[in-house]
Amino acid sequence: MIRSAAFVTAVSLAFALAACNTVEQRVGGAAVGAGTGAVVGGPVGAVVGGAAGAVSAPTVVRATRRATR
C-alpha cells in the first residue's frame, strides 16, 4: 500500500515538474515557497514549501500574465 502511494506521488510530481516552462519560474517559485514554508512550519515547512512552490509557480505566472493583459 505504501509503495503504491509513493509511486503515484512520484509520477504525479514528475508530470508536474515537466509542465514548468522555464528554470527561472521553478527557482523563483521554490524560493518563495521555501521562505513561506520556513516561516510557517520550520525546516520541514521549508522543504514542503519549496517543492510546492516549484511545482505551482508556472501556473501562477501564467494566471498573473493573463490577468494583467
Side-chain angles (χ1 to χ4, degrees), residues 4-48:
S4 64
F7 177 73
V8 169
T9 303
V11 169
S12 61
L13 182 62
F15 282 129
L17 287 176
C20 291
N21 292 334
T22 64
V23 175
E24 290 86 13
Q25 289 177 356
R26 267 192 226 162
V27 171
V32 171
T36 304
V39 169
V40 174
V44 175
V47 173
V48 172

Side-chain angles (χ1 to χ4, degrees), residues 26-69:
R26 267 192 226 162
V27 171
V32 171
T36 304
V39 169
V40 174
V44 175
V47 173
V48 172
V55 170
S56 64
T59 305
V60 173
V61 169
R62 278 192 298 268
T64 305
R65 286 184 183 157
R66 281 188 207 145
T68 58
R69 288 184 186 179

